[in-house]
Amino acid sequence: MLTDNCTCRGCGAHSTDMFFQADCVPTSVGRLETSAAEAHSARCGELNLVACHACGLIQNHSYDPEIVGFEPGYQVSLFHSPTFRSFVQGVCDRLIKRYDLQDKKILEIGCGAAEVLRLLCQQGGNHGVGIDPAVPMEVKERFDAGSVHLISDFYSKKYEHHVGDFVCCLSVFEAISSPVHFLRSLRQSIGERDIPVYFEVFNGYRAIAESEVWSVHYEQCNYFSLDSLRNTFALAGFEVTHSGTCYEGDQYLYVEARPSESGEQTLKLNIPAEFSETVRRFGNEFQTRVDWWQGKLDQCRRDQKRVVSWGSGGKGISFLSSLSNADVVQQVVDTNPARQNHYIPRCGQPIVDPLDLKQTKPDVVILTNALYQQEISACLAEMQIECEIVVA
Ligand SMILES: [Zn+2]
């Protein structure tokens, strides 16, 4: 326990412990620089992870959304991955069926490039409004017409007239620093109407409990467990109708909810007995992994091996920026064309297309997200690249 007595922004309790600190982490995994020099001077911030023993919510209490840079150019879409596209298709099919989303008005909060909203509108004949400060300009020009309307802004009360028949919010609620306050505002906008909502977030507690150390990054402000997520909705006056884990087993959490007739409530929570020990173990494991990888990269340097890593998202950036000898890694591969020809914040590695590895001929490829191991191994085999593949 490093310090305590922070107020939990979920339940408001004072029973919190700070269990992990990092002083200088890049403040944005979604905004990338176009030169190595700019990348080296990318903005950094602090991580102060605080665990609430009353509701189980874990938060970065140093998080300031103002410095992340949620604006056009910020993008963390995973839609270039066939695995992810297939998952989202399944979610949309399920929501259209369960909520009879045909010729309805749908609001997506934090729509990004509006891939989900467009699917819901195309397949259900629905009308959608997507609100996100980071809607890419080219997406706005191409799709802001007909059944989809895109607004480049943060969602707030001033857009409450867009709350229609269904509200969804995917992979965004993690970055909202006052989650209960945000949901209460949405609940007020819904008023007396019976409007279902669907929220999906990264399963942050699983990542911490499994010491998935590179999953911790700056704008990942909330690390929900299913219990703390459900409780957040109950505290804001919603009744959770369905909830669970999804995406490759349990990578994400989802909640489907409707306005509650009984108003705001606190759920009876099941905080695991080993909660304190679990969060404390994370810090020790983090240091163990950093030490191991610094040893591995030192050895690669001595052996003059060509090393690349694969994945420029949150995990890839956390991995590189945690290591003092990350310069051994020459390039970072990403299949997302929008991230190629940019540079990793702080460390400055160029982000390249997988095909560039034919020239690089790496001896070692580090996978920073084990989920895509099969896709990546197949890609390397197809290019006839023989190398050591190591999961970070
Ligand atoms: Zn709490």
Side-chain angles (χ1 to χ4, degrees), residues 1 23 34 63 67 84 106-108 116 120 141 145 164 211 214 217 251 260 265 267 280 298 315 339 350 375:
M1 189 188 311
D23 289 338
T34 51
Y63 176 68
I67 63 172
F84 189 74
I106 297 174
L107 169 66
E108 184 178 7
V116 173
L120 288 171
E141 283 163 16
S211 294
W214 317 121
H217 57 86
Q251 294 294 302
S260 161
Q265 289 185 325
L267 295 182
R280 209 164 295 145
D298 279 344
K315 289 185 177 71
R339 293 180 77 83
E375 276 179 40

Side-chain angles (χ1 to χ4, degrees), residues 69 88 95 110 121 140 149 189 201 217 256 274 343 353 360:
V88 171
L95 293 176
C121 289
K140 202 160 187 308
H149 176 43
S189 299
V201 297
H217 57 86
E256 296 172 37
E274 67 279 11
Y343 293 81
D353 185 284
T360 311

Side-chain angles (χ1 to χ4, degrees), residues 17 43 53 76 88 90 95 108 123 179 186 196 227 233 260 295-296 308 315 325:
D17 285 342
R43 187 159 192 172
H53 293 265
V76 287
V88 171
L95 293 176
E108 184 178 7
Q123 295 185 4
L186 177 62
D227 249 17
F233 278 78
S260 161
K296 170 80 177 170
V308 303
K315 289 185 177 71
N325 55 357

Side-chain angles (χ1 to χ4, degrees), residues 27-225:
T27 53
S28 179
V29 302
R31 262 182 61 82
L32 296 170
E33 305 295 350
T34 51
S35 79
E38 284 172 321
H40 282 301
S41 55
R43 187 159 192 172
C44 289
E46 283 180 46
L47 274 180
N48 286 299
L49 295 188
V50 172
C52 174
H53 293 265
C55 75
L57 178 63
I58 295 169
Q59 283 205 310
N60 174 16
H61 262 233
S62 301
Y63 176 68
D64 176 3
E66 295 289 319
I67 63 172
V68 174
F70 292 116
E71 58 193 26
Y74 181 96
Q75 76 94 17
V76 287
S77 171
L78 297 174
F79 263 74
H80 51 280
S81 159
T83 310
F84 189 74
R85 278 203 304 275
S86 153
F87 160 67
V88 171
Q89 182 64 63
V91 171
C92 289
D93 289 347
R94 180 162 60 85
L95 293 176
I96 287 172
K97 200 169 168 193
R98 178 150 25 225
Y99 296 103
D100 189 25
L101 299 180
Q102 305 281 343
D103 197 24
K104 298 277 170 63
K105 282 173 68 182
I106 297 174
L107 169 66
E108 184 178 7
I109 297 171
C111 61
E115 291 104 336
V116 173
L117 188 64
R118 283 186 273 136
L119 272 178
L120 288 171
C121 289
Q122 282 161 9
Q123 295 185 4
N126 295 298
H127 307 272
V129 173
I131 303 178
D132 193 319
V135 175
M137 295 311 288
E138 64 277 13
V139 169
K140 202 160 187 308
E141 283 163 16
R142 194 161 157 215
F143 296 106
D144 184 17
S147 62
V148 174
H149 176 43
L150 300 173
I151 299 170
S152 303
D153 201 354
F154 289 95
Y155 176 77
S156 66
K157 285 285 266 188
K158 75 175 175 182
Y159 296 116
E160 66 178 359
H161 56 285
H162 290 301
V163 175
D165 302 304
F166 186 76
V167 179
C168 60
C169 178
L170 294 87
S171 299
V172 166
F173 198 44
E174 302 92 318
I176 292 176
S177 57
S178 299
V180 176
H181 176 79
F182 178 86
L183 284 181
R184 279 186 179 135
S185 169
L186 177 62
R187 175 68 191 83
Q188 281 171 10
S189 299
I190 290 174
E192 298 297 307
R193 297 172 291 171
D194 182 25
I195 295 173
V197 304
Y198 177 81
F199 275 57
E200 197 179 280
V201 297
F202 178 64
N203 188 350
Y205 182 67
R206 179 204 56 79
I208 285 175
E210 294 178 2
S211 294
E212 195 180 273
V213 296
W214 317 121
S215 286
V216 168
H217 57 86
Y218 186 80
E219 65 260 57
Q220 178 80 42
C221 166
N222 302 316
Y223 298 78
F224 289 105
S225 63

Side-chain angles (χ1 to χ4, degrees), residues 8-13 16 52-57 231:
C8 171
R9 292 177 191 156
C11 70
T16 55
C52 174
H53 293 265
C55 75
L57 178 63
N231 189 52

